[in-house]
Amino acid sequence: MSRGTVLVVGGGIGGLSTAVALREAGYDVDVVELHEDLHSSVYGVGIIQPVNALRALDAIGCAEACLGVGYATTAWGQVHDVAGNLVREMPGARIAGSELPPMNGLARPQLHRILTERARGAGVTIEYAKTFTELVNGPGGVDVTYTDGTSGRVDFVVGADGVYSKVRPYVLAEDLTPVYIGQSAFRLNIPRIPEIDRIILQHGPTGMAGFVPIGPEMAYFFFNTVWEEGQRLEQNRMDHVLRELLAPFGGLAGRVRDEFVTDPSAIVFRPEEWLIAPAPWHRDRIVLIGDAVHAVTPHLGQGAAQAIEDGVVLAECLAAGSSPQEAFERYTERRYERCKLVVESSVAIGEWEIDPTGKEDFDHAGLTQHVLETMVQPF
């Protein structure tokens, strides 16, 4: 017997994970995704899955598949200088009693495929090229009007539609907008050089270069650099600009510059933004998850991890049998401080990367380790 009906707005990582968790908890779940298909909703190249993300994925039956197509590491990473010399090890953290690795990297399309297949296999309905035009929220349910002209009533709506969420105004009185940190990131898939067996970071005068293994034969390269807000960069100039920014680097970054930064169409360029919404994250029968309430810059690889955890916790709270109001309050209580730590720590690392002047005492690797050790605690 169904516990009720849920509409999840957004078919990204958080939305699909939440849909699976709610379906496993006994709810009938429909996902609507504005993009026209699975592939068009996938942004970026690769993704970092810290051990807490793997634990949450394991809870919805997806960790094994992710590990099967990704690259599991024996440690979190290393810090190198601009010339490529090892400066510091970053061991990462493990979950007591678990065999999950400190980190798994995989291609984003692979993750979306795994989550989509798991959702459909669990009985979730996914509709593409569709979203809502109006939500009428109330204590007994939510009346939804859709872009295809249909309408209906559901017991709950989950807003998993990202940092520019259209569901968020139905929950929060404050008009929130994400904060641009002052950095943007270049990303590019490259062959996995043998040395890339964990996250490798190189800090130089023009930004932070990084490498993440995402499969036996593939890695992705990223470069965080200062970028004026709103400044356009034409796609056909991506490779030229990136090579110029990487000019001071030796080591892995120098090799990538010389061998692999050749095709501008293969480079993804995105601004880095953050947001943390005040509690509560719900109103009546509508609740928010993921980037809609805690958008994270990529400096700790925790954005997707936190969204997946949101879905698992939300399903647990609703399945506990308390009233929807109590369930949503408990969900926010369990998630708020944890997500806030990730958001604020990521921003602090980004600000240090932008300008380390006067921040000689800032311990980038130490803060990373602190967050990772915090994240392996129960969520």
Side-chain angles (χ1 to χ4, degrees), residues 266-283:
I267 299 171
V268 176
F269 184 70
R270 292 282 186 273
E272 297 179 352
E273 301 172 317
W274 66 273
L275 177 149
I276 184 75
W281 290 347
H282 72 280
R283 179 179 293 180

Side-chain angles (χ1 to χ4, degrees), residues 168 171-177 274-283 288 292-295 328 331-333 335-337 340:
R168 188 166 61 223
V171 174
L172 302 178
E174 183 180 355
D175 183 18
L176 295 182
T177 55
W274 66 273
L275 177 149
I276 184 75
W281 290 347
H282 72 280
R283 179 179 293 180
L288 302 171
V293 277
H294 50 77
F328 292 153
Y331 154 72
T332 306
E333 288 171 1
R335 298 300 300 149
Y336 186 82
E337 291 299 330
K340 184 170 180 283

Side-chain angles (χ1 to χ4, degrees), residues 150-174:
T150 62
S151 61
R153 167 169 274 230
V154 295
D155 293 307
F156 310 109
V157 170
V158 178
D161 53 338
V163 66
Y164 292 97
S165 171
K166 302 300 183 184
V167 180
R168 188 166 61 223
Y170 288 90
V171 174
L172 302 178
E174 183 180 355

